[in-house]
Amino acid sequence: MKIRLAGGVVADGRCVWVAGSPGPVHAAEAPAGAAVVLGPAEATDEQVRHAVDELGRLVAAGGVVAAGANVDLGEGFRSARLDGARGDQRDAVLAALRVLGVENAHRLGDRAGFLVALFGPAVTRRVGAAAARAMSEGRWAALHLAVAASDTLGPEQVEQVLALRAPETLTPDGPPSALAHHLRQVLEPVPRPRRLELVLDLWAQVLEHHAGLARRERRLATQSRHDRVGDLRRRRRHDDDELILRWLGTYEGRQPSLAAAARWIPPDAYWSEVLARLLQDALATTALLRTAVAVADHGLEDGLARSAALIRAADAETGRVPTQPTRRVPGLTGLPAHPIAYVHDIHRRLTDGTPHDAKFAGYIRPRLACARDFALLVIETAAELLYDYTDVPERVRQRWARSGLRNWRAGAGYGRPPAAWDGIQPWTAPLLGPEEPLSRRLAASADAAGVEMVGDLLWYADLIDALAELYGHDAARVTPGTGAPWFDHDPPPPDEPLTPRLDSVTLAVSGAAQLVALGGTPPKGVRTWRGLTEGLLAGTAIAEALTGEFAVPALLAALDGTAVPGTGVRFRVARDARTLAEWSEYMGNCIAGSYYLEEARTGRSCLAGLYGEDGTLLVNAELVARRPAARGWRVGEIAARFNNSPDPALEKRFRDWVDTIPGKPADVAAADGAQPDDAPPVRPARKRSASRLIEEAGPALDALARRAWDEEALGTFARLAGTPPEAALTRLRRLGPARLADACRRALDAGAVDLDALWAAGGIRPLTTAVEALDPAVRDRFDGLSLLVDGSPLPKSLRKLVKLPAVADAYALDLVARATRRAIGELANRDDPVIARAIAGRPAEPLLCALTVMVTCRAPAVDLTPVAPPRAVTVPGHPATSLADEDGPWQRAFPLAREMDADTGRFWDAIAEHGLRVPASWLGAGGWPALWSRAHRRER
């Protein structure tokens, strides 16, 4: 019997075996792509068993893909794979070489043969020698990239790739054939001489990313694995109580009465000590953090030597506060209440001549291991103390704020440049009063340490910067408008959809290929990988690809989150393009490409992910309907990460499960336009082409969109995005719902925009206005124009229409406006303080009504207060209003509430059960009547 092998080869005249139980069996019934043994028909059972065992060892070490390399298994037997295997011959040869090594490469046959399989027919001797060196030195990541890049680079360029070096942590991902395919997509539009520059720069970028990850891991390894902030907080609270009792005893005797304690007013000296302790704690913690970083980067001996001046400067700060003996408190942690105790211990050991042996290391390292916990507690304490000065006498505050830090700076230096420091205005301004910021004072003096004052709070930024360095960052990220601590010591990487990841070369290239598939174009003259990806992302086609939802069939949508029987994985359905972008970014595939997007938008296929029990995405799959649709569903494509084959057992169980999913009933399928297999072909109605749509509707719509354009709304969105107006809409469209809500919260909190202006901008819909103003006859001829105004996925003809300049801008503004309204609703739904503060002032009446209807319908799990009793239709206030009045403010608010994801269909059920409700945080003095009166007066 002839058996077809991978690559189209037919095993004619030879026998094929696979491993079976209890021994080798013929491969006639083996699954597609299975690893097999090829051998002579006259072979003995013992010879076959030996060859199958050898194949098992090869597959165990190199994966089933290695079997496709035609490896010599001895006694005339060779490895192979049955037809249906993924990838090509270079995948198999490279996998087998990793198992065999250079010394056993002869088992692959002629050297020239396997080099051609790896690098193509243009391979040279120099490339072969460079590849041998890379293999012998274990530089498999460089070899993997060179094999893939050989399709797009010349032999001399491939030699340079083969010479690349990397740490052992950089390992190849996925088959080289998949990487080669993506490299061709990305690099073919780039001139050949410039391709090598991009590949080498990509390699450098990936190495830099891995170095950053290793640095972070190494530095955090100096810290305790247990979170001890809670223990330290309780220890500090006990110490604060002891401080109060000590001062109280000084003034009222050792055992003051309760009345005397209640009447006691802390003297200035008490508050001076509290503020001095805060500063001392911050400086000592900064020293511990920086020392821990130095030890992680340079080793204990060198790191301590580099930090000696810093430790000495911090130890000298003990003079700021009266030193109390460190003693254990029963029931509390053994850690000291203040970090200065550990700084003093380290300084004493560094200067007492103690040998720097293992005992010395065992003394120092535990004292550095709690630096992070001290830092988090000090930051928390600073926020509590600096936010509310009401208890601290002004003279004490100013005396403390105007003290200097010259001695500290002599040993610690500066992290952030003082010439660029303007302080933290909500805290600095009350402390320093009329004093100019440090940056301006330095304009008249070059002596930063001489003019810096405690009230500048640069020491506070230094503390959070030192904590950020411990987490592997260069400095903390400023987060204006967010409140304390004003800085993020461990900022997450930018969450830009479709931005190629640098976790590996394969992920970076597959992400760039994804952008090319979506219409991105490499910029001319680009020489760096970053410049290439930024140019690809800049195209409007990328932002358009992330809009709209998919037409997921109801039967499959109902199964979202279902466990696949017998597998331990869960079935998840992609409902929008953003989900596909996230999947593609992690999986290193092109599931977010234009083909899959179009198929999912139209409902012709359903794209899914299979998640493991730990929440890891394991597999992507495409489900397509059988014909006729009543027959159910089948798996069209399925692949694991980097387009590898999924686990065979998982794939089989998943396919079996999909086979059981029912299809559309015949009457529903017929209503949807589906035709049975035996129905005669029906000539479809002639569709209007995209060109006719653009010709007939384009010019008028373009002119109307220009007329409806609103610069004021664009200015509001620019302040929200923190960008120039021309970049604002693109920036906001790339934010997901959660990040857009956070951006709204920060902008509202910082005062960059106010809620009324943001709400008003969310109501500006220039494209909606333009479509409504079109000639009714044009709208009737092209009824699909309504899809432009409701956020629905756009068919290809409309996507071409919205590329017209004015239409594209108006469409983008419409999308951002709708998303902003939803973001405001989300903030109100979770009772965010920025919404509560804005509503408690004098809100616009439509805004107040819309948010109230939304909250009543969605019934969030926050503290809600009824403003009208259950089943009541009349809403109290001046003037009183009726919920049922068709022309009243409440009925007009229903469409606005629906824009914020409120199901207004359950409004009357909610009124019957709970009445009209709002968050309690919205109501100040006078309650709802006062709030409604203010909103109504504003409308008059």
Side-chain angles (χ1 to χ4, degrees):
M1 185 177 81
K2 295 181 179 180
I3 296 180
R4 185 173 294 275
L5 304 176
V9 178
V10 176
D12 192 8
R14 307 194 78 192
C15 289
V16 180
W17 293 271
V18 294
S21 180
V25 296
H26 286 279
E29 302 300 325
V36 297
V37 170
L38 290 178
E42 63 274 11
T44 66
D45 289 346
E46 183 61 29
Q47 289 173 324
V48 171
R49 186 173 294 106
H50 179 270
V52 169
D53 289 344
E54 190 66 26
L55 174 68
R57 286 188 285 272
L58 175 67
V59 170
V64 67
V65 64
N70 197 31
V71 179
D72 183 0
L73 303 176
E75 299 181 303
F77 292 89
R78 303 196 78 90
S79 68
R81 293 185 71 185
L82 296 181
D83 191 29
R86 294 175 183 267
D88 58 25
Q89 188 68 8
R90 77 183 106 185
D91 302 336
V93 172
L94 189 57
L97 279 171
R98 295 199 67 174
V99 177
L100 302 175
V102 178
E103 61 277 8
N104 290 311
H106 62 274
R107 292 176 60 186
L108 293 172
D110 180 59
R111 182 173 184 270
F114 71 73
L115 285 177
V116 168
L118 290 175
F119 299 104
V123 64
T124 63
R125 290 183 178 181
R126 290 170 59 93
V127 169
R133 283 194 300 273
M135 284 186 281
S136 62
E137 295 171 4
R139 291 185 287 110
W140 296 105
L143 183 61
H144 184 271
L145 176 57
V147 168
S150 62
D151 289 1
T152 52
L153 301 181
E156 295 82 2
Q157 294 174 317
V158 171
E159 283 185 60
Q160 294 188 53
V161 177
L162 285 167
L164 293 173
R165 298 183 178 276
E168 293 181 359
T169 55
L170 186 63
T171 55
D173 289 327
S177 60
L179 178 57
H181 172 69
H182 292 147
L183 278 170
R184 287 194 300 272
Q185 285 183 275
V186 175
L187 296 182
E188 279 184 348
V190 178
R192 184 175 289 272
R194 199 166 291 154
R195 295 175 185 174
L196 178 63
E197 288 184 67
L198 293 175
V199 171
L200 296 181
D201 187 65
L202 166 61
W203 182 269
Q205 292 286 326
V206 172
L207 290 188
E208 182 180 342
H209 177 74
H210 276 258
L213 295 178
R215 179 172 61 247
R216 175 189 175 95
E217 183 178 357
R218 185 176 64 246
R219 291 178 178 180
L220 286 176
T222 65
Q223 301 301 294
S224 171
R225 289 176 295 178
H226 304 290
D227 182 355
R228 295 181 290 184
V229 176
D231 294 337
L232 274 174
R233 188 181 293 115
R234 287 186 288 273
R235 179 70 176 85
R236 175 70 62 82
R237 190 177 300 120
H238 177 273
D239 189 76
D240 291 343
D241 292 346
E242 290 286 308
L243 177 64
I244 292 174
L245 292 175
R246 179 163 55 82
W247 277 98
L248 178 61
T250 301
Y251 282 81
E252 302 293 339
R254 298 187 57 144
Q255 293 183 330
S257 65
L258 183 60
R263 287 192 299 267
W264 181 68
I265 298 176
D268 289 359
Y270 165 79
W271 289 113
S272 295
E273 183 170 346
V274 169
L275 292 172
R277 280 186 183 276
L278 171 63
L279 179 61
Q280 182 192 71
D281 288 345
L283 301 185
T285 302
T286 301
L288 291 176
L289 288 168
R290 290 183 179 174
T291 303
V293 167
V295 167
D297 290 350
H298 305 286
L300 184 66
E301 190 72 25
D302 194 11
L304 288 174
R306 291 168 179 263
S307 305
L310 177 65
I311 292 292
R312 184 168 55 251
D315 185 64
E317 293 298 317
T318 55
R320 290 183 179 269
V321 183
T323 303
Q324 300 297 322
T326 301
R327 57 186 178 82
R328 289 185 175 272
V329 179
L332 297 178
T333 179
L335 297 175
H338 299 278
I340 194 66
Y342 277 171
V343 169
H344 183 67
D345 289 346
I346 294 173
H347 181 254
R348 180 167 49 83
R349 280 300 178 99
L350 288 176
T351 55
D352 65 1
T354 302
H356 291 189
D357 51 14
K359 185 176 180 181
F360 173 82
Y363 183 85
I364 297 294
R365 290 189 185 278
R367 282 159 174 76
L368 297 177
C370 55
R372 174 183 54 192
D373 302 299
F374 276 123
L376 294 173
L377 182 59
V378 172
I379 293 169
E380 177 184 304
T381 304
E384 294 173 357
L385 190 57
L386 298 177
Y387 246 132
D388 187 2
Y389 294 112
T390 54
D391 291 335
V392 184
E394 183 177 358
R395 57 186 176 275
V396 177
R397 292 200 316 259
Q398 293 184 351
R399 186 167 58 246
W400 177 72
R402 284 172 169 75
S403 59
L405 290 165
R406 181 181 291 277
N407 292 337
W408 164 251
R409 292 301 179 191
Y414 285 96
R416 291 177 181 264
W421 180 252
D422 288 332
I424 304 171
Q425 289 308 306
W427 291 353
T428 307
L431 282 172
L432 294 180
E435 289 282 353
E436 289 188 326
L438 178 60
S439 60
R440 295 183 187 174
R441 298 201 303 273
L442 276 175
S445 172
D447 183 12
V451 298
E452 181 191 1
M453 294 184 286
V454 169
D456 290 314
L457 300 181
L458 185 52
W459 54 269
Y460 174 80
D462 286 345
L463 167 63
I464 305 183
D465 282 342
L467 183 59
E469 290 178 34
L470 186 72
Y471 279 81
H473 306 284
D474 293 331
R477 181 185 298 172
V478 180
T479 55
T482 59
W486 307 108
F487 298 86
D488 189 347
H489 69 269
D490 189 22
D495 183 20
E496 293 287 351
L498 293 178
T499 299
R501 296 171 57 168
L502 292 172
D503 298 59
S504 70
V505 170
T506 302
L507 276 176
V509 176
S510 66
Q514 182 78 77
L515 297 176
V516 172
L518 290 173
T521 304
K524 293 183 178 179
V526 65
R527 293 182 179 276
T528 66
W529 184 259
R530 188 182 303 277
L532 173 70
T533 55
E534 288 176 353
L536 293 173
L537 280 165
T540 57
I542 305 303
E544 291 171 8
L546 294 176
T547 60
E549 295 185 352
F550 297 156
V552 180
L555 287 166
L556 297 178
L559 294 173
D560 194 11
T562 301
V564 178
T567 65
V569 303
R570 290 197 172 272
F571 173 76
R572 296 288 186 185
V573 174
R575 298 176 182 269
D576 51 44
R578 188 171 295 275
T579 300
L580 292 189
E582 293 171 355
W583 286 357
S584 172
E585 181 184 28
Y586 173 73
M587 296 291 283
N589 57 29
C590 282
I591 196 171
S594 56
Y595 167 78
Y596 293 107
L597 286 173
E598 184 66 21
E599 294 295 295
R601 282 192 175 111
T602 58
R604 289 192 292 268
S605 71
C606 174
L607 301 173
L610 300 183
Y611 283 80
E613 295 178 348
D614 60 352
T616 301
L617 179 59
L618 303 175
V619 170
N620 280 139
E622 180 191 28
L623 275 60
V624 294
R626 298 181 184 275
R627 292 186 179 182
R631 292 178 56 202
W633 299 85
R634 64 180 178 83
V635 178
E637 289 190 52
I638 183 169
R641 201 175 185 202
F642 305 115
N643 285 321
N644 283 317
S645 299
D647 177 73
L650 172 62
E651 180 179 356
K652 183 179 185 306
R653 288 185 179 273
F654 178 64
R655 288 182 181 275
D656 292 345
W657 178 69
V658 171
D659 287 342
T660 67
I661 299 176
K664 293 182 180 180
D667 55 342
V668 175
D672 288 347
Q675 298 290 334
D677 285 351
D678 55 355
V682 178
R683 182 177 181 179
R686 181 174 179 269
K687 295 182 180 179
R688 296 187 181 274
S689 67
S691 60
R692 292 193 61 189
L693 170 63
I694 294 175
E695 289 174 5
E696 296 187 30
L701 191 62
D702 191 79
L704 291 168
R706 293 179 191 276
R707 194 178 307 160
W709 183 254
D710 192 304
E711 286 292 338
E712 185 176 349
L714 181 62
T716 299
F717 289 132
R719 293 192 296 276
L720 173 62
T723 66
E726 60 272 14
L729 299 181
T730 300
R731 166 67 179 166
L732 295 175
R733 285 179 68 182
R734 288 179 177 174
L735 298 178
R739 294 190 66 211
L740 180 58
D742 288 342
C744 290
R745 178 180 58 79
R746 288 195 299 270
L748 291 169
D749 191 43
V753 296
D754 61 66
L755 182 59
D756 288 337
L758 196 59
W759 177 262
I764 302 298
R765 313 288 167 82
L767 188 57
T768 302
T769 303
V771 171
E772 291 173 350
L774 270 176
D775 185 339
V778 175
R779 291 206 307 269
D780 291 342
R781 282 199 301 275
F782 303 102
D783 54 1
L785 288 170
S786 60
L787 298 175
L788 293 172
V789 303
D790 61 6
S792 300
L794 300 183
K796 186 179 297 184
S797 59
L798 289 180
R799 291 205 299 277
K800 291 183 178 180
L801 181 64
V802 297
K803 290 182 179 180
L804 296 175
V807 178
D809 292 341
Y811 180 63
L813 186 54
D814 272 30
L815 291 176
V816 170
R818 277 192 290 269
T820 301
R821 283 275 175 95
R822 286 194 296 272
I824 292 172
E826 186 57 36
L827 292 174
N829 192 58
R830 64 190 191 211
D831 196 15
D832 195 286
V834 297
I835 300 294
R837 287 196 296 269
I839 293 295
R842 183 174 288 185
E845 183 182 284
L847 168 63
L848 179 60
C849 291
L851 291 178
T852 301
V853 171
M854 184 273 297
V855 168
T856 298
C857 293
R858 293 180 63 175
V862 300
D863 184 12
L864 298 178
T865 298
V867 300
R871 295 180 295 280
V873 175
T874 300
V875 182
H878 180 73
T881 52
S882 172
L883 297 175
D885 183 358
E886 293 293 335
D887 297 322
W890 298 106
Q891 290 292 319
R892 291 197 299 268
F894 274 38
L896 305 178
R898 285 193 288 271
E899 286 191 339
M900 296 181 287
D901 297 330
D903 178 9
T904 54
R906 66 176 308 275
F907 176 77
W908 293 110
D909 292 337
I911 293 297
E913 185 176 358
H914 301 291
L916 191 68
R917 298 191 293 173
V918 298
S921 61
W922 294 6
L923 305 178
W928 171 261
L931 176 59
W932 177 251
S933 178
R934 291 195 299 274
H936 184 71
R937 281 202 307 271
R938 174 170 174 169
E939 287 301 299
R940 288 187 297 174

